[in-house]
Amino acid sequence: MARVKPLAELIEGCIGPAFAAQGFASTDILAAWPDIVGARLARYCRPARIEWPRKRRNSAEAPDSGTLVVQVESVFAIELQHLAPVVIQRINAHYGWACIGRIVMKQDRVGRPGAPARRREIDPGRRGEVAQAVSRIEDASLRDALDRLGLAVVATPQR
């Protein structure tokens, strides 16, 4: 029987090449961004790409630090500018090496949800099916996440 693969392994293979084109070695920085900068600031900024310096020929030295380009809402640009040394330190601590040397801010709208989406009514019978399917899962956080996923699936219109 085949081994069950974590979703992270499958996602990396699908969107990894697109992220690599933007200078990201993996999707990890996007997933960890709220932990790195804090939930409040993460709502108003996000990493756009990493610009790496050109490699020197015949250099045995450690690679130079890159520049992180961050999209930021204009009103929070000053806050991010003041927090840039802390953010750089946290990113480098997250990866365990000095991968980022500076942050460049690009003022732009960050894709925040606008008006809340209209909730679709879920058939109580389908809701019961989802609840029954996840009821045997012991881990509460996993059970809740799968319950939300199941509800989103049954609320999606069938085509």
Side-chain angles (χ1 to χ4, degrees):
M1 188 163 144
R3 175 180 81 85
V4 177
K5 291 184 179 181
L7 185 59
E9 285 181 22
L10 299 173
I11 288 176
E12 188 69 36
C14 293
I15 60 176
F19 280 21
Q22 294 298 321
F24 295 111
S26 72
T27 60
D28 184 46
I29 192 166
L30 294 175
W33 190 247
D35 296 330
I36 293 170
V37 299
R40 179 174 173 268
L41 194 56
R43 284 192 302 256
Y44 302 103
C45 68
R46 69 169 175 236
R49 67 180 175 277
I50 298 176
E51 297 173 349
W52 297 102
R54 292 184 174 243
K55 294 181 181 176
R56 289 181 240 143
R57 292 182 185 206
N58 302 327
S59 177
E61 298 175 14
D64 291 335
S65 299
T67 300
L68 178 66
V69 179
V70 178
Q71 284 182 310
V72 62
E73 295 275 346
S74 60
V75 288
F76 282 87
I78 292 177
E79 184 171 349
L80 181 61
Q81 184 177 4
H82 288 295
L83 292 173
V86 175
V87 171
I88 291 169
Q89 181 183 17
R90 288 182 179 177
I91 293 169
N92 292 339
H94 178 77
Y95 285 108
W97 67 288
C99 57
I100 300 297
R102 69 184 207 134
I103 292 179
V104 172
M105 288 168 278
K106 178 182 171 188
Q107 290 188 13
D108 197 1
R109 291 196 52 89
V110 175
R112 291 182 317 207
R118 210 173 65 206
R119 291 192 152 258
R120 294 184 49 111
E121 294 298 320
I122 299 172
D123 178 34
R126 300 293 307 261
R127 173 65 179 112
E129 290 174 15
V130 172
Q132 183 180 6
V134 299
S135 65
R136 294 178 298 237
I137 298 173
E138 294 177 10
D139 185 350
S141 61
L142 177 60
R143 183 177 52 247
D144 293 341
L146 289 174
D147 186 57
R148 288 191 308 271
L149 176 63
L151 292 176
V153 169
V154 298
T156 303
Q158 302 297 320
R159 293 185 179 180

